[in-house]
Amino acid sequence: YSEWANIEDLKFIKSKNEVYEKFDIIILSHVLEHTYDPIKEIEHTLEYANKNCIFIIEVPDERHNLIMGLLGKRFGMNYHVSTFTRTSLQKLLNKCNINTVKTQYNFNSSYRGQICDVISCVGILNGSKNENLFNQNIVREILSTFLVTLRKIVRKILSKIN
């Protein structure tokens, strides 16, 4: 549901009490990073999910904060209260019985017209726990974290030049 207004041809639900059906697909795009308890938020969302509901989730990739923190710098968006890696997002979903999870880093996404590195994820409620689409290793994770940090620094420098 949303409080957005003035969008033609769309009916917005302004209260969770207005939802009378369950859904086959639920999209949580740039939601979980704003909550102190992402598990509770997902569990609340499960009330509106059909048995094998597909969850599509996108959260900002803020791993660069790890490196910037090590350098003693404050960097990033301070209104995000939760941050995720592919591993932490998969574990979060598995705790909520969303399995058969596929995650990936997406370095060419945008949010409200701004370039935004994200973690994209698809999972199935009550999906097979044996079928794991997760493919990640520590070397790839470290290299990817370094590259996303480098990209953020270059973008910041280029935005100041332009």
Side-chain angles (χ1 to χ4, degrees):
Y1 67 94
S2 173
E3 295 180 10
W4 292 357
N6 303 323
I7 299 176
E8 295 179 24
D9 301 324
L10 294 178
K11 177 186 175 229
F12 281 94
I13 299 167
K14 297 190 188 240
S15 164
K16 292 180 182 179
N17 296 333
E18 295 180 43
V19 179
Y20 302 109
E21 59 187 293
K22 294 193 180 254
F23 299 95
D24 294 325
I25 298 174
I26 293 178
I27 300 171
L28 297 172
S29 179
H30 295 273
V31 172
L32 297 178
E33 68 271 15
H34 298 282
T35 179
Y36 287 103
D37 192 347
I39 291 175
K40 184 177 179 181
E41 190 68 31
I42 290 174
E43 286 174 344
H44 189 67
T45 304
L46 292 176
E47 297 174 29
Y48 308 101
N50 277 329
K51 182 182 177 202
N52 294 316
C53 182
I54 296 171
F55 280 79
I56 301 170
I57 298 173
E58 189 172 86
V59 295
D61 179 5
E62 296 184 309
R63 293 172 297 144
H64 63 279
N65 288 335
L66 296 171
I67 292 176
M68 298 313 284
L70 290 172
L71 296 174
K73 300 188 184 230
R74 176 77 175 112
F75 196 89
M77 298 175 243
N78 59 6
Y79 50 86
H80 290 166
V81 296
S82 296
T83 57
F84 304 91
T85 64
R86 287 176 60 194
T87 304
S88 67
L89 190 56
Q90 181 199 21
K91 288 179 180 181
L92 168 75
L93 295 176
N94 290 158
K95 282 185 182 228
C96 298
N97 204 28
I98 299 171
N99 302 302
T100 316
V101 174
K102 169 73 175 166
T103 60
Q104 74 177 42
Y105 292 118
N106 183 350
F107 301 117
N108 295 309
S109 188
S110 66
Y111 179 71
R112 295 186 178 197
Q114 297 291 322
I115 293 172
C116 182
D117 299 327
V118 300
I119 303 169
S120 300
C121 174
V122 176
I124 302 172
L125 181 62
N126 302 313
S128 170
K129 293 182 181 184
N130 295 331
E131 185 179 347
N132 188 354
L133 301 176
F134 188 71
N135 182 13
Q136 182 178 4
N137 67 46
I138 191 69
V139 173
R140 185 181 301 162
E141 190 70 22
I142 291 170
L143 181 59
S144 178
T145 300
F146 175 74
L147 290 175
V148 76
T149 302
L150 188 60
R151 284 174 56 99
K152 292 274 185 183
I153 292 169
V154 169
R155 280 184 195 156
K156 192 151 190 115
I157 291 170
L158 290 176
S159 71
K160 288 185 179 188
I161 293 173
N162 293 331

